[in-house]
Amino acid sequence: MKQPPLLPVIIATGFGAGFWPWGPGTAGAVVATVIWWALGLVLSPVALTVVTALLIILFTVLGTWATARLQPIWGDDPSRVVVDEMVGVWIPLLLAADPLHRLWWALAALLLFRVFDIVKPFGIRRLDRRRGALWVMLDDVAAGLCSALVLGLIILITYAYTS
């Protein structure tokens, strides 16, 4: 078996989270949430939102590149590729920067994303069945967008009833 190139392995596995034997997708999403949380400790809410948006763009591009490099060696959509879960969970985390409720919104974002990623409703399953590195990323982007929509509604309702 051909040795995979190191940089794509580091990126695609979410800095190694994809090698976690029990639920690598969840491990990747948790690592991304911890990275986001750590950034929130040193950045303002506005800066955290901007940096999160930049991470989504950067890792979508890098993740597509890394996955394309690894597919000939690891197959079409190997479970150890979790950069897509990282990007997916960062999407609802765009809405979670409020320091007062950050922990709760982050946990809700993580939970909602994993539910949408696992259940794959609203055509997400059709995206998941497509072949190619971009499609590996896009089904999780779609799950992230769905979870962001639900989280946004939860946030709006919460603030409407607490104001």
Side-chain angles (χ1 to χ4, degrees):
M1 178 180 228
K2 184 179 174 188
Q3 182 70 22
L6 182 59
L7 185 58
V9 169
I10 292 169
I11 294 167
T13 64
F15 310 105
F19 292 113
W20 180 255
W22 306 284
T26 299
V30 168
V31 165
T33 304
V34 169
I35 290 169
W36 177 86
W37 183 266
L39 289 169
L41 295 175
V42 296
L43 298 174
S44 71
V46 171
L48 179 59
T49 302
V50 170
V51 168
T52 304
L54 292 173
L55 286 171
I56 292 166
I57 294 165
L58 177 65
F59 277 85
T60 298
V61 172
L62 289 175
T64 302
W65 169 81
T67 302
R69 296 283 312 271
L70 294 171
Q71 281 180 326
I73 302 163
W74 286 354
D76 283 330
D77 191 1
S79 61
R80 63 192 137 194
V81 172
V82 298
V83 66
D84 49 332
E85 278 85 4
M86 294 176 71
V87 168
V89 77
W90 281 330
I91 293 171
L93 286 171
L94 281 168
L95 307 176
D98 173 15
L100 187 59
H101 300 98
R102 188 174 294 161
L103 175 62
W104 300 114
W105 298 150
L107 292 173
L110 177 62
L111 178 65
L112 286 167
F113 170 72
R114 288 307 293 151
V115 167
F116 280 105
D117 187 33
I118 292 166
V119 175
K120 299 189 186 315
F122 312 119
I124 297 171
R125 184 155 318 277
R126 271 185 264 132
L127 294 175
D128 186 53
R129 290 184 185 131
R130 306 279 309 256
R131 295 291 167 236
L134 181 62
W135 298 106
V136 169
M137 299 299 298
L138 289 183
D139 75 293
D140 289 278
V141 168
L145 291 170
C146 290
S147 55
L149 178 66
V150 173
L151 181 62
L153 290 172
I154 292 169
I155 291 170
L156 283 174
I157 291 167
T158 300
Y159 286 135
Y161 284 102
T162 58
S163 308

